[in-house]
């Protein structure tokens, strides 16, 4: 029996699973649609929903004039993405550096997605089943944000 056992292990160690979810979350936020396996998509959904809720909370706090609350919610959301704007050879922050995926995703969550879902009380994503993958028969799925039907999907693996 699986009483009080919350999440899928996805055949990975806990650190690998966390990295996988952070990577998928970053890709989903940036591209708004991702093709992956069904168990990964089902595990990703509550992870992303929480991030969007934190983005909404950050936006609402900044509009209400609560700067500390806005920063706190944004930093909580940032934990779900990989850190960005780091340079391997320099320890100083480079103002002219290209934004990495984590920084761009955080900015998108706290601005564009927070504004789009401001009046929606949850249910920001949907999952479509796509059928089995040709190579190994794994059940594939498309996970996307509601309202991003016209965007091009990105696969989690290059085929």
């Amino acid at each position: 029996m699986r009483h009080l056992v919350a999440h899928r292990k996805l055949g990975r160690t806990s650190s690998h699973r966390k990295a996988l979810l952070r990577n998928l979350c970053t890709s989903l936020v940036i591209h708004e649609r991702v093709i992956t396996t069904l168990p990964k998509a089902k595990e990703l959904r509550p992870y992303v929903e929480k991030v969007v809720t934190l983005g909404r909370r950050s936006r609402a706090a900044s509009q209400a004039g609560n700067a500390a609350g806005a920063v706190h919610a944004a930093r909580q959301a940032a934990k779900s993405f990989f850190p960005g704007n780091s340079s391997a050879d320099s320890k100083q922050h480079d103002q002219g550096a290209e934004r990495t995926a984590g920084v761009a995703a955080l900015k998108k969550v706290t601005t564009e997605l927070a504004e789009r879902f401001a009046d929606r009380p949850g249910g920001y994503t949907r999952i479509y089943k796509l059928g089995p993958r040709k190579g190994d028969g794994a059940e594939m799925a498309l996970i996307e944000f509601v309202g991003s039907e016209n965007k091009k999907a990105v696969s989690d693996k290059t085929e």
Side-chain angles (χ1 to χ4, degrees), residues 4 6 27 30 38-39 64 66-67 86-87 90 97 103 128 134 138 140 150:
L4 296 175
S27 295
I30 290 173
L38 185 61
N66 182 3
S86 63
S87 176
S90 173
V103 175
Y128 291 114
K134 186 176 181 182
M140 298 300 288
N150 298 327

Side-chain angles (χ1 to χ4, degrees), residues 87-126:
S87 176
D89 56 346
S90 173
K91 293 187 180 200
Q92 292 182 339
H93 182 74
D94 184 10
Q95 293 291 339
E98 181 91 12
R99 291 220 183 261
T100 59
V103 175
L106 180 62
K107 184 175 181 183
K108 186 170 182 177
V109 155
T110 56
T111 56
E112 183 182 331
L113 293 177
E115 184 178 329
R116 185 193 311 175
F117 298 125
D119 298 330
R120 190 178 185 94
Y124 313 117
T125 59
R126 70 166 61 100

Side-chain angles (χ1 to χ4, degrees), residues 7-154:
H7 302 285
R8 296 168 182 83
K9 290 189 176 180
L10 300 174
R12 290 161 170 81
T13 62
S14 58
S15 61
H16 188 184
R17 188 170 48 250
K18 183 178 178 183
L20 171 83
L21 288 174
R22 290 172 79 185
N23 192 9
L24 281 173
C25 180
T26 304
S27 295
L28 180 62
V29 167
I30 290 173
H31 301 291
E32 297 192 14
R33 300 179 91 184
V34 173
I35 297 173
T36 185
T37 61
L38 185 61
K40 288 180 192 174
K42 286 182 175 180
E43 195 61 30
L44 179 63
R45 176 188 288 207
Y47 193 83
V48 171
E49 300 261 341
K50 187 170 189 174
V51 170
V52 173
T53 301
L54 287 168
R56 285 182 56 206
R57 190 177 301 159
S58 174
R59 181 176 181 268
S62 67
Q63 287 180 341
N66 182 3
V71 170
H72 180 64
R75 285 181 177 165
Q76 283 183 312
K79 290 192 300 186
S80 301
F81 306 119
F82 285 106
N85 273 2
S86 63
S87 176
D89 56 346
S90 173
K91 293 187 180 200
Q92 292 182 339
H93 182 74
D94 184 10
Q95 293 291 339
E98 181 91 12
R99 291 220 183 261
T100 59
V103 175
L106 180 62
K107 184 175 181 183
K108 186 170 182 177
V109 155
T110 56
T111 56
E112 183 182 331
L113 293 177
E115 184 178 329
R116 185 193 311 175
F117 298 125
D119 298 330
R120 190 178 185 94
Y124 313 117
T125 59
R126 70 166 61 100
I127 296 175
Y128 291 114
K129 293 182 181 180
L130 299 177
R133 184 163 48 198
K134 186 176 181 182
D136 60 358
E139 192 67 29
M140 298 300 288
L142 173 108
I143 182 168
E144 69 177 2
F145 284 112
V146 174
S148 63
E149 291 80 15
N150 298 327
K151 300 230 179 204
K152 187 177 185 294
V154 175

